[in-house]
Amino acid sequence: MSDYDYDFFVIGCGSGGVRAARIAAVHGAKVAVCEERYLGGTCVNVGCIPKKLLVYAAHFHDDFEDAAGFGWTVGDTSFDWTKLIANKNKEIERLNGVYKSLLDNAGAELIWGRGTLVDAHTVEIDGKAYTSERILIATGGWPSVPDFPGREHVVTSNEAFFLEGKPKRAVVVGGGYIAVEFAGIFHGMGVDVTQLYRGPLFLRGFDDDVRQHVADEYQRKGIDLRFNTDVVSIEKNSGVGATYTVALKDGTSIEADVVMYATGRRPLTKGLGLYNAGVDLDEAGAIKVDDKWQTSIPNIYAIGDVIDRIQLTPVALNEGHILADRLFGEPGRDLSYEYVPSAVFSQPPIGSVGLTEAQAREKYGDVHIYKSRFKALKNTLSGRDEQTLMKLIVDPASDRVVGIHMVGPEAGEIIQGFAVAVRAGATKAQFDTTIGIHPTSAEEFVTMRERYQPEPQAQAAE
């Protein structure tokens, strides 16, 4: 008989934590998992799922306009934000129930409340102590907002999913994918959007061609992008339905009904009692782990956003599954953080896998670039002035395709399939001998033959 109450205790019911708890329980371990907010974590409740639902809603704005070019007559349209949010909430509630069923059916015990570490083997919840042979921390991350005058007036992505009404004017502060996605969502719903970013170009870490292409498309749509600027203060104006005055560092100001900050997320480690157990953190507050997700304390593990490696739900799911297999089942596959595909549900969306051009040049030196910009077939009749970007990056020494990037309709769906090829080490020659599906945008990736040659720099006049 074990000296502990449980074999495995999971703190956090996000995607990674639930997967780890469920798989461990299926392997026969006695498992408990605690949660203080909601089941499914950020992704299900205030992240991937509700965001994609809002993106779908925002697309109808363009779809109604596009219909005319195909012979459809669309009458007067209107948008009900309250109904959208209510329907979204209903779906999220259903998914919470699904996660509860997954735990119940696997035999894992769910304990509601905030779990804190007392020592390396003890978790305390509402004054009651639970002991476990092994403990997993999967508490995820939380939006981070800097300190400045008027900080209390802003919302983050957490609150943006529950706004009581649709704003007429929105300021979105930040240059990451969450800021870019919400700028597109608000704009698609008819909101006058200004996006602010303190750097010269948003989406840092993505391929530079992708970043510029999205910026061009957003400006073409009428989104007011302001780079190299930041907020100095926010003042709430008086009166019913009060608006806000956002003062900028360049001396100008903007009037807005809502100011959303998407300036990064931090690992949610504060107040977990990690110091009590001796768990080491890095300078950013993320939990330090080795390649087996083991912390500085051998029986305590951590996965997902709280370790701040790759903040993607599928990554956390795989981490949790593989860890549970290793601890309680038969060790099987490993997880590689190389060639992890990702998508940004901007409008148009981004799909990427592998290295950016800058990363590839740093790693390989010379690289071969293949690029294509074109108007999608649908837009020839719709009249929409939107361009699709596709880009292949090839290591010439091995002919291997080491990076694929796309901005355009269904980019995430398309890149998911090509990610398998990149992971498998497919070469440009193999791409070239693959028959394309016509007419699709995706076929462009297997029909690009001419290398991109940058235009020679114009010589300065003497």
Side-chain angles (χ1 to χ4, degrees):
M1 184 175 178
S2 173
D3 293 331
Y4 304 100
D5 298 327
Y6 300 96
D7 301 314
F8 196 44
F9 199 106
V10 180
I11 302 177
C13 270
S15 299
V18 169
R19 176 66 64 86
R22 182 170 67 86
I23 298 303
V26 168
H27 285 314
K30 187 178 182 182
V31 179
V33 55
C34 70
E35 174 57 50
E36 65 174 328
R37 270 183 210 92
Y38 33 54
L39 302 181
T42 296
C43 178
V44 168
N45 296 277
V46 288
C48 328
I49 301 301
K51 171 191 66 184
K52 191 71 179 289
L53 295 175
L54 266 59
V55 168
Y56 284 137
H59 269 292
F60 282 97
H61 176 273
D62 289 350
D63 291 343
F64 290 137
E65 291 183 351
D66 292 348
F70 293 90
W72 287 90
T73 299
V74 179
D76 292 338
T77 61
S78 62
F79 171 66
D80 188 336
W81 171 273
T82 303
K83 185 174 183 179
L84 170 64
I85 297 304
N87 289 342
K88 180 268 297 181
N89 291 344
K90 184 177 180 180
E91 172 59 13
I92 301 311
E93 184 179 354
R94 184 189 71 83
L95 291 175
N96 271 256
V98 170
Y99 271 73
K100 178 66 164 59
S101 296
L102 288 172
L103 291 171
D104 290 343
N105 293 339
E109 180 183 353
L110 173 61
I111 304 171
W112 285 102
R114 180 177 180 80
T116 58
L117 294 174
V118 177
D119 56 43
H121 289 280
T122 307
V123 178
E124 184 178 284
I125 304 172
D126 293 333
K128 184 176 180 180
Y130 303 85
T131 61
S132 181
E133 182 178 2
R134 296 184 177 95
I135 295 172
L136 173 64
I137 302 169
T139 48
W142 202 252
S144 174
V145 179
D147 287 325
F148 62 88
R151 178 183 185 275
E152 67 276 12
H153 300 310
V154 311
V155 300
T156 68
S157 55
N158 285 0
E159 296 81 34
F161 287 111
F162 299 95
L163 294 176
E164 293 183 358
K166 186 190 78 171
K168 293 181 180 179
R169 299 164 296 178
V171 171
V172 180
V173 184
Y177 70 90
I178 296 174
V180 171
E181 288 171 336
F182 265 95
I185 287 169
F186 283 135
H187 174 78
M189 293 174 180
V191 179
D192 184 7
V193 179
T194 301
Q195 183 175 357
L196 310 174
Y197 179 52
R198 62 184 181 181
L201 186 62
F202 55 25
L203 293 172
R204 184 163 55 92
F206 287 83
D207 187 87
D208 287 342
D209 281 329
V210 168
R211 301 168 70 193
Q212 188 60 57
H213 191 89
V214 174
D216 292 343
E217 291 299 329
Y218 268 34
Q219 289 172 327
R220 196 196 312 269
K221 285 177 176 290
I223 296 174
D224 184 5
L225 299 180
R226 302 193 191 185
F227 298 131
N228 293 311
T229 192
D230 206 352
V231 174
V232 174
S233 65
I234 299 174
E235 183 177 345
K236 185 175 183 178
N237 302 319
S238 60
V240 178
T243 60
Y244 302 94
T245 299
V246 183
L248 307 180
K249 71 175 184 179
D250 63 4
T252 64
S253 63
I254 307 172
E255 297 294 313
D257 302 295
V258 65
V259 182
M260 176 183 167
Y261 258 71
T263 50
R265 297 175 63 86
R266 292 182 179 176
L268 195 53
T269 53
K270 187 176 181 180
L272 290 180
L274 300 177
Y275 178 80
N276 299 333
V279 175
D280 291 340
L281 306 178
D282 65 15
E283 293 180 357
I287 296 176
K288 292 182 179 181
V289 295
D290 62 15
D291 59 357
K292 292 181 174 59
W293 303 291
Q294 193 172 44
T295 71
S296 53
I297 303 302
N299 70 291
I300 299 180
Y301 300 82
I303 61 168
D305 291 1
V306 79
I307 65 174
D308 199 19
R309 283 188 175 173
I310 298 179
Q311 295 186 11
L312 294 173
T313 295
V315 171
L317 286 168
N318 277 273
E319 289 170 343
H321 197 135
I322 294 170
L323 176 63
D325 282 343
R326 287 177 178 173
L327 294 180
F328 302 104
E330 290 294 328
R333 59 194 172 95
D334 292 322
L335 175 61
S336 171
Y337 292 99
E338 190 176 30
Y339 299 116
V340 174
S342 65
V344 177
F345 296 103
S346 49
Q347 298 178 43
I350 302 166
S352 291
V353 62
L355 304 177
T356 66
E357 181 177 342
Q359 290 169 337
R361 291 191 184 282
E362 182 178 353
K363 182 173 182 178
Y364 298 109
D366 182 36
V367 294
H368 291 176
I369 304 297
Y370 299 83
K371 283 198 292 190
S372 180
R373 281 188 176 87
F374 58 92
K375 180 182 286 190
L377 179 62
K378 177 183 176 181
N379 292 337
T380 60
L381 292 191
S382 73
R384 184 161 300 282
D385 190 16
E386 179 182 281
Q387 296 285 311
T388 291
L389 168 70
M390 290 182 161
K391 183 174 183 178
L392 290 176
I393 302 169
V394 179
D395 167 28
S398 63
D399 197 42
R400 180 177 178 178
V401 178
V402 297
I404 305 181
H405 307 279
M406 176 181 175
V407 183
E410 306 300 335
E413 304 289 349
I414 291 171
I415 293 300
Q416 177 66 82
F418 280 102
V420 178
V422 174
R423 284 278 300 161
T427 63
K428 181 64 168 65
Q430 290 169 327
F431 270 58
D432 293 344
T433 56
T434 299
I435 303 299
I437 301 173
H438 185 73
T440 66
S441 294
E443 69 178 312
E444 192 75 11
F445 279 128
V446 297
T447 58
M448 288 191 281
R449 298 291 187 268
E450 294 186 12
R451 285 173 52 195
Y452 170 73
Q453 301 290 348
E455 295 181 5
Q457 295 287 336
Q459 294 184 355
E462 295 182 1

